[in-house]
Amino acid sequence: MSKTDHGVGGLTYDKSKKGWPNEVNIFAALILIILIFEALGQFLPYMNDQSFLFDTNGRFDTIFNEARLKIIILQVAIIGIISLGVTQVIISGGIDLSSGPLVGAAAMIVMSFAQTELVNGNPNPKAVFGDWAFDLPVIVPVIVGLCFGAFIGAINGSLIAFTRIPPFIATLGMFLICRGIAQWWTKGQPVSFPTESFAALGSGMMPVVWFALLAVLFHLVLRYTLYGKHTYAIGSNEDAARMSGINVKRHKVLVYMIASMLAAFAAIILSSKNLTAQTGMGQFYELFAIAMAVIGGVSLTGGRGSIIGTVLGAMVFGVIQSGFTYIKLDAFYQLMAMGAIIISAVVLDQWRQQRGSSRN
Amino acid sequence: MTELGNIILETRDLTKHYGGVHALEGADFTLRKGEHVAIMGDNGAGKSTFVRQITGVEQKTRGDIIFDGKPVNFTGPLDAREAGIEAVFQTLALADHLDVPDNLFLGREKTKWNWLGPFRRLDYKSMREDTLEALQKTGVKIPNIRNTIQNMSGGQRQCVAIARTATFHSKLTIMDEPTAALGVQETAQVENIIRTLKEQGEPLILISHNMRQVFDLMDRVVVFRRGRICANLDIRNEDITGEDVVAYITGAKTQPEYEDAA
């Protein structure tokens, strides 16, 4: 039943057109996907009545399969941190393809400042710098990493804001530059053996804690601050934003800086968790981070999306990935299926937009 | 009718050439405080070109613009806006995904905790209250101001855009065919806002093709033809009909003082 409220002069507003927030749809999709995997577990002949999410073997104290839940969340936490930044870039009407290689480069650089001098009583075999760089306080590699991220983000943002080249091209170039930096840093050698305090940053469930904290922080920032409002405004109508006196160029640089700093922070957590940094780290992360945002309802045309959506998108992503492994789908099929899912998410988004703007 | 005050806007010999095309040629124009002036003319007569020079969207080829007693040289629309000229263009400068208060306060948001710099907190409550007050003052009725602009009708969007210019007490409002795409009742609402601006003594330049609207609302009509001003008609005090204005627009008549121009 649609309620129509009549204003003056035939101005009508049909409440039924508004619908519920998009995040509800994504949450429903998440539940649906879990149910599908649960059903597949019951009906596929080779699955032996396993359950996807529930603890049917009595291995845990809870009704859920705790181990799988933990793995799902842990798997998405680090890419999730990147997707928080990518979300802001896409809302502002841009795109960032450089975040994956940035993770690789930042991990290499950060790890060289986090190395410990003695490994089991022997000198560190992977030492990058001299004695001065051993056993530095944990704040040093963190600051170095964030500064590197801010630097790369500032270049991305400045290129896009001041030279007006498309974000796709600017960050694609930065994609290759960062891969190059990662390999050049140690001529391809991995960097390993961090200090205990650095290793603590990403140990156990710490990546999930960081993801949750940053998600809450940026949810508040996007929704309640001037920065957030201007990010949406620029993505929604850049000309209107400029005409309204918003410093669009400066704001874009800021958005890309924050996104790259989040990617660099993900690199810190990832290298800490793995206790090593390798040049190839972060492969496909930029695409997965974009996928999480897009699945979470962030519109590639800008102006629409939310951190809550992206967090839900990350969960959908994790559940699908874990579900594929659960039904024993081969890894190469998994990549293909993932690609198909990302394309469907964008198609769905366009349908939704066409429906939403039918009055124009 | 409110008393007319000092001159708020004056142009002298304002000229714009696009390469060899003389889109605007030697326009001398004055507007007094509180005065509502219509600019009429055929398509391509130079109306929009004239407005684009005043609002800083384009840079003039020659001539002077004197705004509020001072010669000005706007390098962009932002300059003009900061000086106090608010323009409502046919393509509305609204952000589709934001709601009414967000659009009204776009670029001049009310904030708290200003020590946080770009991350300072938005004062949503205060902006909502001011929005309701502004809409009430301009007579705009929008059922739900929290609704995003993209879900609104053309009339409502137009009203939001106009309410924005009216809210911030600009020194001069310029509207480029604000009712061209609107229905009868939506047009009535926009016209009501224009009346409100008149009562408040805010000067206005209106580009319009609608003769009834111009005669209902405006004090004076300036007619453009082939890039030049060809008539300046005091429709409030002189015996001038719509047919006269059409004659000026089509070129059947030209006022004596503009003879050499046409």
Side-chain angles (χ1 to χ4, degrees):
Chain A
M1 183 70 198
S2 74
K3 181 179 176 294
T4 303
D5 193 347
H6 286 272
V8 155
L11 302 179
T12 56
Y13 164 53
D14 190 345
K15 281 203 172 68
S16 70
K17 283 215 169 137
K18 179 123 195 217
W20 52 72
N22 195 22
E23 285 82 2
V24 178
N25 293 332
I26 301 154
F27 189 72
L30 178 63
I31 303 292
L32 184 71
I33 291 164
I34 290 173
L35 289 177
I36 288 171
F37 281 121
E38 200 63 66
L40 284 174
Q42 298 298 318
F43 298 120
L44 287 179
Y46 59 85
M47 296 298 294
N48 305 326
D49 293 339
Q50 284 185 54
S51 169
F52 180 52
L53 268 196
F54 298 99
D55 178 20
T56 45
N57 301 331
R59 284 188 293 153
F60 306 100
D61 295 334
T62 54
I63 56 163
F64 291 108
N65 184 339
E66 229 172 83
R68 195 185 318 273
L69 276 177
K70 270 188 182 168
I71 289 170
I72 290 175
I73 300 173
L74 200 54
Q75 254 180 345
V76 299
I78 287 171
I79 306 178
I81 292 172
I82 303 171
S83 77
L84 297 178
V86 169
T87 298
Q88 299 172 46
V89 170
I90 299 179
I91 289 175
S92 81
I95 193 85
D96 187 358
L97 295 176
S98 67
S99 57
L102 174 59
V103 166
M108 299 294 286
I109 294 170
V110 165
M111 199 50 132
S112 350
F113 289 93
Q115 289 182 300
T116 186
E117 185 169 9
L118 297 174
V119 182
N120 299 327
N122 302 314
N124 189 330
K126 300 282 184 194
V128 176
F129 298 124
D131 289 345
W132 62 271
F134 287 131
D135 296 309
L136 295 169
V138 65
I139 191 79
V140 175
V142 171
I143 299 245
V144 167
L146 292 179
C147 286
F148 177 67
F151 175 67
I152 296 294
I155 296 176
N156 273 342
S158 304
L159 282 173
I160 290 156
F162 295 101
T163 71
R164 298 186 146 264
I165 48 177
F168 179 82
I169 300 298
T171 59
L172 189 64
M174 192 53 80
F175 177 104
L176 291 172
I177 291 171
C178 281
R179 273 282 171 252
I181 291 174
Q183 295 187 0
W184 160 78
W185 188 254
T186 57
K187 310 295 177 285
Q189 293 299 310
V191 188
S192 311
F193 306 114
T195 58
E196 271 180 34
S197 50
F198 184 78
L201 287 176
S203 65
M205 294 300 277
M206 281 307 284
V208 179
V209 173
W210 290 117
F211 178 43
L213 282 176
L214 289 167
V216 170
L217 175 70
F218 280 100
H219 168 72
L220 295 176
V221 164
L222 274 191
R223 185 164 275 193
Y224 296 107
T225 72
L226 196 66
Y227 167 84
K229 191 59 67 194
H230 288 180
T231 304
Y232 281 98
I234 290 170
S236 182
N237 188 342
E238 192 173 325
D239 289 332
R242 190 177 300 110
M243 298 276 279
S244 306
I246 296 172
N247 190 334
V248 173
K249 289 181 174 148
R250 200 185 64 193
H251 194 86
K252 280 189 174 175
V253 174
L254 190 58
V255 171
Y256 282 91
M257 278 176 77
I258 288 177
S260 293
M261 284 170 81
L262 280 164
F265 190 75
I268 294 169
I269 302 305
L270 180 65
S271 56
S272 161
K273 177 177 167 241
N274 292 356
L275 303 174
T276 182
Q278 286 165 350
T279 56
M281 267 163 107
Q283 199 194 7
F284 292 143
Y285 277 22
E286 67 285 338
L287 299 180
F288 291 157
I290 294 169
M292 287 176 182
V294 169
I295 293 171
V298 180
S299 164
L300 284 172
T301 49
R304 259 167 15 113
S306 70
I307 292 290
I308 295 177
T310 295
V311 170
L312 286 169
M315 298 312 296
V316 170
F317 189 90
V319 164
I320 291 173
Q321 221 177 24
S322 171
F324 284 160
T325 313
Y326 161 72
I327 58 168
K328 301 185 173 66
L329 195 68
D330 280 327
F332 33 86
Y333 292 129
Q334 286 193 22
L335 267 185
M336 295 181 207
M338 222 43 164
I341 287 164
I342 293 165
I343 292 170
S344 336
V346 176
V347 171
L348 264 177
D349 174 64
Q350 285 190 339
W351 278 350
R352 220 162 38 204
Q353 291 223 33
Q354 275 165 12
R355 220 181 39 188
S357 61
S358 59
R359 300 186 73 156
N360 301 333
Chain B
M1 196 169 139
T2 44
E3 280 297 305
L4 297 182
N6 301 326
I7 290 171
I8 180 78
L9 176 78
E10 184 176 1
T11 68
R12 290 187 198 137
D13 192 31
L14 190 61
T15 299
K16 176 71 181 177
H17 297 170
Y18 303 102
V21 181
H22 296 194
L24 187 66
E25 193 68 54
D28 296 321
F29 176 90
T30 53
L31 179 75
R32 292 179 175 281
K33 281 181 181 156
E35 194 179 20
H36 280 198
V37 172
I39 292 185
M40 302 190 83
D42 238 334
N43 292 328
K47 312 181 296 281
S48 294
T49 307
F50 177 69
V51 166
R52 280 202 294 272
Q53 313 312 308
I54 298 170
T55 51
V57 175
E58 287 172 359
Q59 269 61 56
K60 59 187 190 285
T61 306
R62 191 176 73 228
D64 301 301
I65 301 171
I66 298 116
F67 180 64
D68 205 16
K70 290 182 289 285
V72 287
N73 208 345
F74 301 130
T75 54
L78 207 56
D79 269 7
R81 190 169 161 182
E82 270 161 17
I85 298 178
E86 289 275 357
V88 183
F89 290 105
Q90 280 172 293
T91 50
L92 299 174
L94 298 174
D96 267 354
H97 304 95
L98 302 183
D99 65 12
V100 178
D102 285 348
N103 267 292
L104 219 60
F105 284 89
L106 196 61
R108 39 196 161 191
E109 293 83 357
K110 291 187 156 191
T111 54
K112 296 188 280 198
W113 304 356
N114 288 342
W115 50 271
L116 281 170
F119 300 101
R120 56 188 186 265
R121 202 180 149 192
L122 292 165
D123 191 351
Y124 278 121
K125 186 161 173 275
S126 167
M127 285 195 279
R128 273 201 296 274
E129 285 165 3
D130 285 13
T131 301
L132 287 175
E133 198 179 314
L135 293 181
Q136 211 162 32
K137 217 167 75 184
T138 45
V140 174
K141 290 208 172 106
I142 288 169
N144 183 0
I145 60 165
R146 304 289 296 278
N147 202 4
T148 54
I149 296 287
Q150 63 183 345
N151 292 327
M152 294 188 180
S153 69
Q156 283 175 319
R157 296 153 73 100
Q158 193 73 48
C159 287
V160 172
I162 294 173
R164 177 163 71 180
T165 68
T167 309
F168 291 96
H169 296 290
S170 50
K171 291 176 186 162
L172 170 61
T173 306
I174 299 176
M175 297 185 190
D176 190 350
E177 299 193 46
T179 59
L182 302 187
V184 177
Q185 286 174 306
E186 293 174 336
T187 301
Q189 194 174 7
V190 171
E191 288 174 353
N192 272 333
I193 299 177
I194 294 175
R195 282 194 192 90
T196 315
L197 288 176
K198 179 72 190 167
E199 281 160 19
Q200 291 167 352
E202 311 237 358
L204 176 103
I205 295 175
L206 173 79
I207 297 185
S208 179
H209 285 295
N210 185 330
M211 201 64 74
R212 178 204 53 81
Q213 186 175 63
V214 167
F215 273 82
D216 276 3
L217 299 169
M218 296 290 120
D219 304 318
R220 193 151 62 85
V221 175
V222 171
V223 182
F224 277 72
R225 193 169 73 227
R226 285 197 256 142
R228 292 168 187 273
I229 293 176
C230 69
N232 182 358
L233 311 162
D234 186 348
I235 56 174
R236 279 285 159 272
N237 302 319
E238 288 169 27
D239 186 23
I240 291 165
T241 64
E243 276 160 36
D244 295 329
V245 177
V246 172
Y248 287 114
I249 290 173
T250 55
K253 271 179 20 180
T254 302
Q255 278 189 323
E257 58 263 47
Y258 295 102
E259 279 292 359
D260 57 326

